[in-house]
Amino acid sequence: MFQKKTYAVFLILLLMMFTAACSGSKTSAEKKESETEKSSDIAQVKIKDVSYTLPSKYDKSTSDDQLVLKVNVAVKNTGKDPLNVDSMDFTLYQGDTKMSDTDPEDYSEKLQGSTINADKSVEGNLFFVVDKGKQYELNYTPESYGDKKPKSVTFKIDGKDKKILATADKLQDSAKALSAYVDVLLFGKDNADFEKITGANKNEIVNDFNESAKDGYLSASGLSSTYADSKALDNIVNGIKEGLSKNSSIQAKTTSISKDEAIVEATVKPVDASSLSDRIEDKVKDYYSKNSSASYEEAVKYALQVYPEEFKKLGPASSEKTVEVKMKKNDIDQWQLDMDDYRAAELVEAFIKE
């Protein structure tokens, strides 16, 4: 029984643990935006927000140290005739260099080409590949009509502005949140930033985690509480945490952000569990050899008793595994694991190598 079920029980146990981690609190916060406004002879342009974001994973032209400047603009037709507005009407310069525009992960975020009637507006985002912390100039030139060339407008954007730089500092918050989940739930460690980054109550989530883990172990193994009492289950959960903390590791890096979702690349050094079933099986055989009259119930209890110590003896695997994990942001920029996404299970599986 133990040889066949140990691996499956372990994975389902971890999945149950993570399921308990998805009930972080959400509150709303009002965001204040500073607006910059300039007028051409036929259009009024407002810069409503400027931030740094990550390049799309589909854009292979950017270097590792480059970011994307995301500029939210609103264009109002102040003329009498319909006005065509497109992202191509905007150009960004970094010093004297014209910077490349790029597409975001979610193309619908980008300012779409449209025609607006007099006194109507359109809003959207512009995306440009830049070097962080530089001085930029955003130029808007309305589409020409007839022989008259419309007036252009230019905005200066300070890439060293504290508010804008703060958006760059937050780009790895989803990766920090994922690492915090692993620290607190799988490794049994303290993480001082857990509540700040995830919005979850650490004590509540750990308690829920432990109870779900124990229930999950019983459910997955098909055992009743007759065989595995609360103390035995606590020892198993704590043993798994200690073993993972000592012999596995994770490195997380946010690779793309789109609206309130982020993709985090997690590189996991798993524990090598290839010998775990055989070792527990050997322990049970040895137990029977010394206790020939032992009942099945006693043998099961013994197997559960030695499981934590045998798990803690597992060493790290010789190879790493990289998986992508989706994180979701709440109303106040805190990141939580998306358990509805199939990649959460892939992350769990990455922590153990058969």
Short mmCIF file of all heavy atoms in Angstrom, two decimals, residues 3 34 49 65 83 86 89 108 118 128 160-161 181 189 194 222 257 275 311 327 334 340-341 348 353:
data_model
loop_
_atom_site.label_atom_id
_atom_site.label_comp_id
_atom_site.label_asym_id
_atom_site.label_seq_id
_atom_site.Cartn_x
_atom_site.Cartn_y
_atom_site.Cartn_z
N GLN A 3 4.00 1.64 -0.92
CA GLN A 3 4.82 1.82 -2.11
C GLN A 3 4.02 2.46 -3.23
O GLN A 3 4.53 3.29 -3.98
CB GLN A 3 5.36 0.46 -2.56
CG GLN A 3 6.43 0.56 -3.63
CD GLN A 3 7.11 -0.76 -3.86
OE1 GLN A 3 6.60 -1.80 -3.47
NE2 GLN A 3 8.23 -0.73 -4.51
N SER A 34 -2.10 61.96 -11.19
CA SER A 34 -1.77 63.32 -11.61
C SER A 34 -1.92 63.39 -13.11
O SER A 34 -1.55 62.46 -13.83
CB SER A 34 -0.32 63.63 -11.20
OG SER A 34 0.57 62.74 -11.82
N ASP A 49 -1.47 58.73 -16.55
CA ASP A 49 -0.63 57.93 -15.66
C ASP A 49 0.60 57.45 -16.43
O ASP A 49 0.53 57.21 -17.65
CB ASP A 49 -1.40 56.73 -15.13
CG ASP A 49 -0.65 56.01 -14.02
OD1 ASP A 49 -0.30 56.68 -13.03
OD2 ASP A 49 -0.39 54.81 -14.15
N ASP A 65 18.02 44.18 -19.19
CA ASP A 65 17.96 45.33 -18.29
C ASP A 65 16.97 46.40 -18.75
O ASP A 65 16.89 47.46 -18.15
CB ASP A 65 19.35 45.95 -18.14
CG ASP A 65 19.95 46.38 -19.48
OD1 ASP A 65 19.42 45.96 -20.53
OD2 ASP A 65 20.95 47.12 -19.47
N LEU A 83 -11.91 62.87 -35.98
CA LEU A 83 -10.47 62.78 -35.77
C LEU A 83 -10.07 61.31 -35.64
O LEU A 83 -10.62 60.58 -34.83
CB LEU A 83 -10.08 63.53 -34.49
CG LEU A 83 -8.60 63.44 -34.07
CD1 LEU A 83 -7.71 64.16 -35.07
CD2 LEU A 83 -8.42 64.01 -32.66
N ASP A 86 -4.61 57.05 -33.25
CA ASP A 86 -3.94 55.75 -33.28
C ASP A 86 -2.67 55.84 -32.43
O ASP A 86 -2.10 56.93 -32.27
CB ASP A 86 -3.60 55.34 -34.72
CG ASP A 86 -3.13 53.91 -34.81
OD1 ASP A 86 -3.97 53.01 -34.97
OD2 ASP A 86 -1.91 53.69 -34.72
N ASP A 89 0.34 57.68 -33.74
CA ASP A 89 0.43 59.14 -33.71
C ASP A 89 1.38 59.63 -32.61
O ASP A 89 1.71 60.81 -32.57
CB ASP A 89 -0.97 59.75 -33.45
CG ASP A 89 -1.98 59.37 -34.52
OD1 ASP A 89 -1.56 59.11 -35.66
OD2 ASP A 89 -3.18 59.31 -34.19
N SER A 108 -5.42 44.22 -25.82
CA SER A 108 -6.55 45.13 -25.62
C SER A 108 -6.19 46.31 -24.73
O SER A 108 -6.92 47.30 -24.69
CB SER A 108 -7.74 44.37 -25.02
OG SER A 108 -7.43 43.91 -23.72
N ALA A 118 -16.43 65.20 -33.05
CA ALA A 118 -16.13 66.42 -32.31
C ALA A 118 -16.61 66.32 -30.87
O ALA A 118 -17.71 65.81 -30.59
CB ALA A 118 -16.79 67.62 -33.00
N PHE A 128 6.37 51.62 -24.69
CA PHE A 128 7.65 51.87 -25.34
C PHE A 128 8.77 51.17 -24.56
O PHE A 128 8.80 51.21 -23.33
CB PHE A 128 7.96 53.37 -25.40
CG PHE A 128 6.93 54.17 -26.15
CD1 PHE A 128 5.89 54.81 -25.47
CD2 PHE A 128 6.99 54.30 -27.54
CE1 PHE A 128 4.95 55.56 -26.15
CE2 PHE A 128 6.04 55.05 -28.22
CZ PHE A 128 5.03 55.68 -27.53
N LYS A 160 13.00 59.47 -13.58
CA LYS A 160 13.54 59.36 -12.22
C LYS A 160 12.54 59.84 -11.17
O LYS A 160 12.87 59.85 -9.99
CB LYS A 160 14.82 60.18 -12.11
CG LYS A 160 15.99 59.61 -12.92
CD LYS A 160 17.26 60.43 -12.70
CE LYS A 160 18.43 59.85 -13.48
NZ LYS A 160 19.67 60.62 -13.28
N ASP A 161 11.37 60.25 -11.62
CA ASP A 161 10.34 60.67 -10.67
C ASP A 161 10.06 59.53 -9.69
O ASP A 161 9.95 58.35 -10.08
CB ASP A 161 9.06 61.03 -11.45
CG ASP A 161 7.93 61.43 -10.53
OD1 ASP A 161 7.87 62.61 -10.15
OD2 ASP A 161 7.11 60.56 -10.19
N TYR A 181 4.63 32.56 0.00
CA TYR A 181 3.72 31.43 0.17
C TYR A 181 4.50 30.15 0.44
O TYR A 181 4.16 29.37 1.34
CB TYR A 181 2.86 31.24 -1.09
CG TYR A 181 1.60 32.04 -1.12
CD1 TYR A 181 1.42 33.06 -2.04
CD2 TYR A 181 0.54 31.76 -0.25
CE1 TYR A 181 0.26 33.80 -2.08
CE2 TYR A 181 -0.64 32.49 -0.29
CZ TYR A 181 -0.77 33.51 -1.21
OH TYR A 181 -1.93 34.23 -1.25
N LYS A 189 8.61 28.35 7.43
CA LYS A 189 9.46 29.45 7.86
C LYS A 189 8.63 30.70 8.13
O LYS A 189 7.49 30.82 7.69
CB LYS A 189 10.50 29.78 6.78
CG LYS A 189 11.51 28.70 6.50
CD LYS A 189 12.47 29.16 5.42
CE LYS A 189 13.53 28.13 5.11
NZ LYS A 189 14.45 28.59 4.02
N PHE A 194 5.16 38.59 4.39
CA PHE A 194 4.06 37.78 3.88
C PHE A 194 2.73 38.55 3.86
O PHE A 194 2.06 38.62 2.82
CB PHE A 194 3.90 36.51 4.73
CG PHE A 194 2.78 35.63 4.26
CD1 PHE A 194 2.95 34.80 3.16
CD2 PHE A 194 1.55 35.65 4.90
CE1 PHE A 194 1.91 34.00 2.71
CE2 PHE A 194 0.50 34.85 4.46
CZ PHE A 194 0.69 34.02 3.37
N GLY A 222 -6.82 7.26 1.95
CA GLY A 222 -7.92 6.34 2.23
C GLY A 222 -7.92 5.83 3.66
O GLY A 222 -8.67 4.90 3.99
N ILE A 257 3.59 40.93 -16.79
CA ILE A 257 2.46 41.45 -16.03
C ILE A 257 1.43 41.99 -17.01
O ILE A 257 1.76 42.73 -17.93
CB ILE A 257 2.88 42.57 -15.06
CG1 ILE A 257 3.88 42.03 -14.02
CG2 ILE A 257 1.67 43.16 -14.35
CD1 ILE A 257 4.43 43.10 -13.11
N SER A 275 13.59 7.11 -3.52
CA SER A 275 13.81 5.99 -2.61
C SER A 275 12.81 5.94 -1.46
O SER A 275 12.85 5.02 -0.63
CB SER A 275 15.23 6.07 -2.02
OG SER A 275 15.37 7.25 -1.22
N PHE A 311 11.16 11.09 5.40
CA PHE A 311 11.04 12.19 4.44
C PHE A 311 12.13 13.23 4.67
O PHE A 311 12.70 13.76 3.72
CB PHE A 311 9.66 12.86 4.55
CG PHE A 311 9.39 13.85 3.45
CD1 PHE A 311 8.79 13.44 2.27
CD2 PHE A 311 9.76 15.18 3.58
CE1 PHE A 311 8.56 14.34 1.25
CE2 PHE A 311 9.54 16.08 2.56
CZ PHE A 311 8.93 15.66 1.39
N MET A 327 -0.11 34.52 -10.87
CA MET A 327 -0.49 35.21 -9.64
C MET A 327 -1.56 36.26 -9.99
O MET A 327 -1.56 36.81 -11.10
CB MET A 327 0.72 35.90 -9.02
CG MET A 327 1.89 34.98 -8.73
SD MET A 327 1.58 33.79 -7.41
CE MET A 327 1.60 34.91 -5.98
N GLN A 334 -1.74 43.67 -3.84
CA GLN A 334 -1.17 42.52 -3.16
C GLN A 334 -1.38 41.29 -4.03
O GLN A 334 -2.42 41.15 -4.68
CB GLN A 334 -1.82 42.32 -1.78
CG GLN A 334 -1.52 43.46 -0.82
CD GLN A 334 -2.43 43.46 0.38
OE1 GLN A 334 -3.62 43.17 0.27
NE2 GLN A 334 -1.90 43.79 1.55
N ASP A 340 -6.95 28.45 -9.38
CA ASP A 340 -7.80 27.99 -10.47
C ASP A 340 -6.98 27.70 -11.73
O ASP A 340 -7.49 27.11 -12.68
CB ASP A 340 -8.88 29.03 -10.80
CG ASP A 340 -9.88 29.18 -9.67
OD1 ASP A 340 -10.11 28.18 -8.97
OD2 ASP A 340 -10.42 30.28 -9.49
N ASP A 341 -5.73 28.12 -11.73
CA ASP A 341 -4.87 27.93 -12.89
C ASP A 341 -4.13 26.60 -12.76
O ASP A 341 -3.63 26.25 -11.68
CB ASP A 341 -3.88 29.09 -13.01
CG ASP A 341 -3.09 29.03 -14.30
OD1 ASP A 341 -3.67 29.31 -15.36
OD2 ASP A 341 -1.89 28.70 -14.24
N VAL A 348 3.52 22.57 -7.49
CA VAL A 348 3.55 21.60 -6.41
C VAL A 348 4.35 20.36 -6.82
O VAL A 348 5.21 19.87 -6.09
CB VAL A 348 2.12 21.20 -5.99
CG1 VAL A 348 2.15 20.05 -5.00
CG2 VAL A 348 1.40 22.39 -5.39
N LYS A 353 10.85 14.89 -6.90
CA LYS A 353 11.28 14.13 -8.06
C LYS A 353 11.22 12.65 -7.70
O LYS A 353 11.82 12.19 -6.75
CB LYS A 353 12.69 14.52 -8.47
CG LYS A 353 13.16 13.83 -9.74
CD LYS A 353 14.56 14.30 -10.14
CE LYS A 353 14.98 13.60 -11.43
NZ LYS A 353 16.34 14.03 -11.84
#
